[in-house]
Amino acid sequence: MLITDGSPLLRIGGSDNDRHDRMRRIGWIDMESVHSARILVAGAGALGNEAVKNLVLAGFRRIDVADMDDIVVSNLSRCLFFRDKDVKTVMKSDVVAERASELDPDATVTSMPGRIQDIKNWDYDIVLGCLDNISARMHLNSHSYFHRIPYIDGATDGFRGKVHVVLPGGPCLQCTMNRSHVREMERRFTCTGNSTTYVPRMAADITTTAVIAAMQVREALKIVSGREDMCLKHVAYYNGESCEMFTAEASVDPECANHLLREGE
Ligand SMILES: [Zn+2]
């Protein structure tokens, strides 16, 4: 089919019938590896909704989504898969898995309702941390590092956000934290959920969530395409108020338990 509007002819069809044609035109993306990669998304809240949406649309087809909470009203301003009828009736991970699967019939998005700490199978190519509390985050970091799985951690606080890419052998989340960090994050890193007792609730908005989740999935695309050389090194800090972003290189803490454990084998 040809369309003419006085400008050069535009041909419709062919590549337009390939769902991922426009992705393939980004030369370095390996769509076969994207399709086959096994991804764990830990957390099905605001970041998890955005991350899973991005993953499925980008062509990832083997996604597990883990979360222990059900849906509350305050989730509805940032979670595109949630509806009013879901409040207090269904688990976050069940809803995300069901509705994200509708985006691509070739994608299998599996719900894993329950605690991150109860995950036994670590047969993943990438782990995405979309969490709101430090203990689950550190658990993911440690297990991913031990199993040599790249871990991409996302965090938001109002209009500010952070992404940390942990590659096997590189500085991990724990390397960048000291005791005061841990105390501060224990106090602050929470937003919603029955199971969460920390106060106060954190500020959050969908625009910052969308930026951070997009960066997480973009880093995942690089890793599965064998382009770790393009990956963020190692932490990106985003300020949505000034629209600024800066990155900071981290270094391995020789006292970090994750490295001592892994290298002591
Ligand atoms: Zn470390």
Side-chain angles (χ1 to χ4, degrees):
M1 176 181 178
L2 295 176
I3 294 177
T4 60
D5 61 357
S7 56
L9 293 178
L10 176 65
R11 184 176 295 278
I12 304 297
S15 62
D16 287 344
N17 295 323
D18 174 3
R19 178 185 290 260
H20 299 293
D21 172 76
R22 303 309 189 261
M23 290 282 287
R24 292 184 215 285
R25 290 168 190 265
I26 302 170
W28 54 264
I29 288 185
D30 179 350
M31 284 309 300
E32 294 311 310
S33 295
V34 173
H35 292 331
S36 62
R38 299 153 299 175
I39 311 292
L40 170 64
V41 177
L47 275 176
N49 268 254
E50 282 294 305
V52 172
K53 177 262 288 179
N54 292 339
L55 286 167
V56 174
L57 292 179
F60 288 91
R61 292 175 172 173
R62 302 171 68 185
I63 304 165
D64 289 349
V65 186
D67 199 294
M68 66 187 295
D69 285 326
D70 57 7
I71 295 168
V72 296
V73 172
S74 61
N75 297 139
L76 298 176
S77 66
R78 301 180 308 286
C79 301
L80 80 164
F81 292 124
F82 297 169
R83 306 288 180 266
D84 284 89
K85 66 181 180 182
D86 302 327
V87 172
K88 296 291 183 185
T89 63
V90 283
M91 300 294 286
K92 289 178 177 175
S93 60
D94 289 346
V95 173
V96 170
E98 178 184 334
R99 296 190 181 138
S101 297
E102 295 172 357
L103 296 175
D104 183 348
D106 291 324
T108 300
V109 185
T110 304
S111 173
M112 294 172 48
R115 286 163 23 102
I116 303 299
Q117 288 83 348
D118 293 334
I119 295 174
K120 297 286 188 286
N121 174 22
W122 290 90
D123 189 20
Y124 294 107
D125 296 300
I126 293 180
V127 172
L128 259 61
C130 300
L131 300 161
D132 65 2
N133 73 88
I134 185 61
S135 60
R137 201 176 246 116
M138 299 309 281
H139 182 89
L140 270 190
N141 174 68
S142 296
H143 280 71
S144 300
Y145 200 88
F146 184 80
H147 293 284
R148 297 281 191 206
I149 306 168
Y151 173 52
I152 307 171
D153 183 75
T156 68
D157 183 0
F159 264 41
R160 295 171 188 264
K162 187 180 86 164
V163 177
H164 186 152
V165 175
V166 181
L167 296 177
C172 76
L173 229 59
Q174 196 165 321
C175 289
T176 64
M177 300 181 70
N178 57 37
R179 286 169 184 259
S180 61
H181 281 124
V182 173
R183 280 197 300 272
E184 177 70 4
M185 292 178 74
E186 285 282 9
R187 188 178 69 82
R188 297 176 62 197
F189 267 65
T190 182
C191 54
T192 61
N194 290 341
S195 56
T196 307
T197 55
Y198 307 124
V199 290
R201 298 298 194 215
M202 289 179 65
D205 92 297
I206 182 58
T207 65
T208 306
T209 299
V211 169
I212 297 302
M215 290 175 62
Q216 289 180 274
V217 174
R218 189 183 299 151
E219 296 302 307
L221 283 168
K222 297 173 188 175
I223 293 168
V224 300
S225 298
R227 294 304 305 266
E228 288 92 344
D229 59 303
M230 294 168 60
C231 278
L232 164 65
K233 298 181 187 61
H234 300 97
V235 190
Y237 296 90
Y238 171 73
N239 182 343
E241 294 176 356
S242 61
C243 282
E244 292 176 309
M245 187 178 300
F246 68 92
T247 60
E249 285 198 34
S251 55
V252 172
D253 176 359
E255 300 299 315
C256 174
N258 295 318
H259 301 272
L260 292 171
L261 182 66
R262 198 66 178 80
E263 287 153 17
E265 291 180 336

